[in-house]
Amino acid sequence: MDKEYLIHQKPIKALFIFVLPLIIGNLFQQFYNMADSVIVGRFVGESALAAVGASFSLTNVFISIAIGGGVGASVITSRYFGSRDYGRMKQSVYTSLLIFLLLSLILGGFGLSLSRQILQLLNTPATILDMATEYLNIYFLGLPFLFIYNVLSSMFNALGRSRIPLYLLIFSSVFNVVLDIYMVNSLNMGVAGAAWATLIAQGISAVFSFILFLKELSTYPSKETDIFNFSELKGIAGIALPSILQQSTVSIGMMLVQSVVNSFGVEVLAGYSAASRVESICIVPMAAMGNAMSTFTAQNLGAGSSKRVQKGYMSAIRLVALFALIICFILEIFYPAIMALFLGAEGTVLALQTGTGYLRFLGWFFAGIGLKMITDGLLRGAGDMKMFTVANLANLGLRVLIAVLLAPRLGVAMVWYAVPIGWLANFAISYLEYRTGKWKNFGKETVKTAG
């Protein structure tokens, strides 16, 4: 396949070819993460599911930092790829890998030293606090593997090679499930077994990904470049930091809201945790479209074609609408089987009511996050980060305020009523910025600053 197909082929075809491996890969990533919940919920019990769920809101923040950082850094790489400046492209890659490796070590140390205290601040029920802390501590040991793998995946995507991360994810996801079942069920290691299975699978994926990426990078001719470049770091940080905020918005909101949900008890927490995992799967195609739009925008602006970006945006809207219809249908028809997958036949009535209430309501609103994601992706790909940041802060602020102020008074359902309100507010702000057309000029400024 032509490596520059995002620049040359019909936009809807190019986006679909690019996004399909992303969706499949991200689904495997979610199954990878969800396997812990399903297996401990079925083989250990509802309290173990709640413990992993209490940890999930925090671990998802770190996953989002890794993904957001990788996607943000890859914008610069995509721009250099589009302009065929392979020397600076490699510089941006090396700089990104080094800085995010350092960041992962710092965050891992922070997490290990404060995991229990953070869980207590989030009002984690005392009956599951020890299990949740044990799971988190093992998770933090593997944080460097998580960061390196996600940054490398974004770099593969920046070069239009989205199938390679897919193959690695399929391998690691299957391996993780096998290890989960063996360690949790056969070795009776409980939540610790699930955490160790994840760490081992992530570590192997990160090593394989690094070897394959070095091989891919060697195919692009360039003069020798420095491994680390401060000017490249400045350009990367200008896009990566707001991108981390964007990717983390939902996760940070979930973590802050988690303390509200925790106050309703273990049964509500178990149902909410199960539904949140399903929500994260449903968001996958929308997030993938946003990341695809980011790479599409960056490459085409690098090639000097803003009109093609606009055509790509309209194509992305059609794809998002299709995905939203499919998600709504699945959730409204199959929600009993979906919840039974997590809670089994022994799930309490309250846990089932909480989970199904969440899923059936949210199923009607996934078009909102799809529109948000592709509009944010376009602005990020162009380097137009000011209103991008404002929009995502509005999303986070609305979700947290509604949940914190209204849920204790009106019930836990206010937690999920707040979700589409935040999504739609974010989209409205980002879309108004898109309509101004200012983003067309940001591409040139971003590469100039990075250089």
Side-chain angles (χ1 to χ4, degrees):
M1 180 185 291
D2 176 14
K3 289 184 178 182
E4 297 181 347
Y5 66 93
L6 288 174
I7 301 172
H8 299 142
Q9 290 192 17
K10 187 176 179 180
I12 193 165
K13 180 181 178 182
L15 281 169
F16 187 75
I17 291 172
F18 183 78
V19 81
L20 190 59
L22 281 184
I23 291 173
I24 298 171
N26 288 346
L27 283 173
F28 270 97
Q29 178 78 64
Q30 290 300 328
F31 293 144
Y32 187 105
N33 298 327
M34 190 176 70
D36 292 352
S37 293
V38 173
I39 291 168
V40 300
R42 297 300 294 267
F43 292 129
V44 184
E46 198 169 274
S47 293
L49 171 61
V52 174
S55 306
F56 176 68
S57 64
L58 182 57
T59 60
N60 213 35
V61 172
F62 290 91
I63 292 171
S64 296
I65 292 172
I67 294 174
V71 170
S74 71
V75 168
I76 299 294
T77 303
S78 294
R79 197 74 52 73
Y80 289 147
F81 178 82
S83 61
R84 299 178 181 174
D85 188 347
Y86 299 134
R88 291 170 72 185
M89 180 187 82
K90 291 182 180 181
Q91 263 191 347
S92 71
V93 169
Y94 298 144
T95 301
S96 298
L97 287 173
L98 286 171
I99 199 66
F100 283 108
L101 175 60
L102 177 62
L103 179 61
S104 70
L105 293 171
I106 294 172
L107 291 176
F110 170 81
L112 281 168
S113 61
L114 296 174
S115 56
R116 190 177 186 87
Q117 290 88 332
I118 294 172
L119 287 168
Q120 289 173 326
L121 285 174
L122 294 174
N123 296 323
T124 302
T127 54
I128 61 172
L129 183 60
D130 288 339
M131 282 192 292
T133 302
E134 184 180 26
Y135 181 88
L136 267 183
N137 285 339
I138 298 169
Y139 179 88
F140 283 128
L141 288 174
L143 208 60
F145 295 130
L146 171 72
F147 268 67
I148 291 301
Y149 173 77
N150 279 285
V151 171
L152 286 170
S153 293
S154 294
M155 293 302 176
F156 274 122
N157 294 333
L159 306 182
R161 305 283 282 168
S162 57
R163 291 185 182 181
I164 295 176
L166 168 61
Y167 300 146
L168 287 168
L169 264 177
I170 291 173
F171 162 76
S172 60
S173 298
V174 173
F175 188 46
N176 182 44
V177 170
V178 172
L179 284 177
D180 261 332
I181 294 173
Y182 176 68
M183 291 185 169
V184 173
N185 190 36
S186 300
L187 299 183
N188 296 315
M189 292 177 65
V191 295
W196 279 114
T198 300
L199 186 153
I200 293 168
Q202 283 179 345
I204 293 173
S205 297
V207 172
F208 283 169
S209 185
F210 183 70
I211 293 170
L212 290 172
F213 190 77
L214 289 180
K215 183 178 179 181
E216 173 70 20
L217 213 58
S218 68
T219 64
Y220 297 94
S222 66
K223 296 179 181 179
E224 291 295 323
T225 59
D226 296 330
I227 292 179
F228 185 84
N229 185 287
F230 279 101
S231 61
E232 293 295 342
L233 177 60
K234 182 180 178 182
I236 291 167
I239 296 179
L241 290 177
S243 180
I244 288 171
L245 174 64
Q246 186 267 339
Q247 293 282 347
S248 302
T249 296
V250 174
S251 301
I252 293 172
M254 286 172 62
M255 185 181 72
L256 296 175
V257 169
Q258 186 82 53
S259 61
V260 177
V261 178
N262 289 346
S263 67
F264 285 87
V266 172
E267 293 178 0
V268 170
L269 175 57
Y272 175 78
S273 298
S276 295
R277 290 298 179 109
V278 178
E279 177 194 354
S280 66
I281 293 173
C282 295
I283 288 173
V284 160
M286 307 310 184
M289 281 302 307
N291 292 340
M293 196 65 218
S294 181
T295 300
F296 182 89
T297 300
Q299 286 197 15
N300 281 282
L301 287 182
S305 181
S306 60
K307 288 185 178 180
R308 183 172 164 81
V309 173
Q310 292 174 298
K311 291 179 180 178
Y313 181 66
M314 298 309 297
S315 297
I317 290 175
R318 292 196 288 273
L319 290 171
V320 158
L322 175 62
F323 295 146
L325 283 172
I326 295 171
I327 291 168
C328 183
F329 175 80
I330 292 172
L331 290 183
E332 293 302 317
I333 300 298
F334 299 107
Y335 69 89
I338 292 171
M339 291 306 302
L341 178 67
F342 288 89
L343 298 171
E346 300 175 358
T348 62
V349 173
L350 184 56
L352 287 168
Q353 287 178 343
T354 302
T356 55
Y358 190 168
L359 288 183
R360 296 197 71 189
F361 172 78
L362 210 58
W364 296 96
F365 296 99
F366 280 97
I369 193 171
L371 292 171
K372 159 198 148 37
M373 288 290 190
I374 60 172
T375 311
D376 283 350
L378 187 151
L379 297 179
R380 181 178 58 231
D384 186 354
M385 307 305 289
K386 183 177 179 180
M387 294 308 296
F388 169 101
T389 305
V390 170
N392 282 277
L393 286 174
N395 178 13
L396 173 61
L398 281 170
R399 289 187 62 174
V400 173
L401 282 174
I402 293 172
V404 170
L405 295 178
L406 299 183
R409 296 173 175 82
L410 302 178
V412 72
M414 295 308 301
V415 169
W416 48 89
Y417 291 166
V419 174
I421 295 174
W423 289 347
L424 292 172
N426 187 326
F427 166 65
I429 296 169
S430 295
Y431 183 73
L432 288 174
E433 177 68 6
Y434 163 73
R435 292 288 295 175
T436 67
K438 296 176 184 176
W439 56 271
K440 297 176 185 178
N441 299 318
F442 275 88
K444 298 173 185 177
E445 295 173 8
T446 303
V447 172
K448 188 176 180 181
T449 300

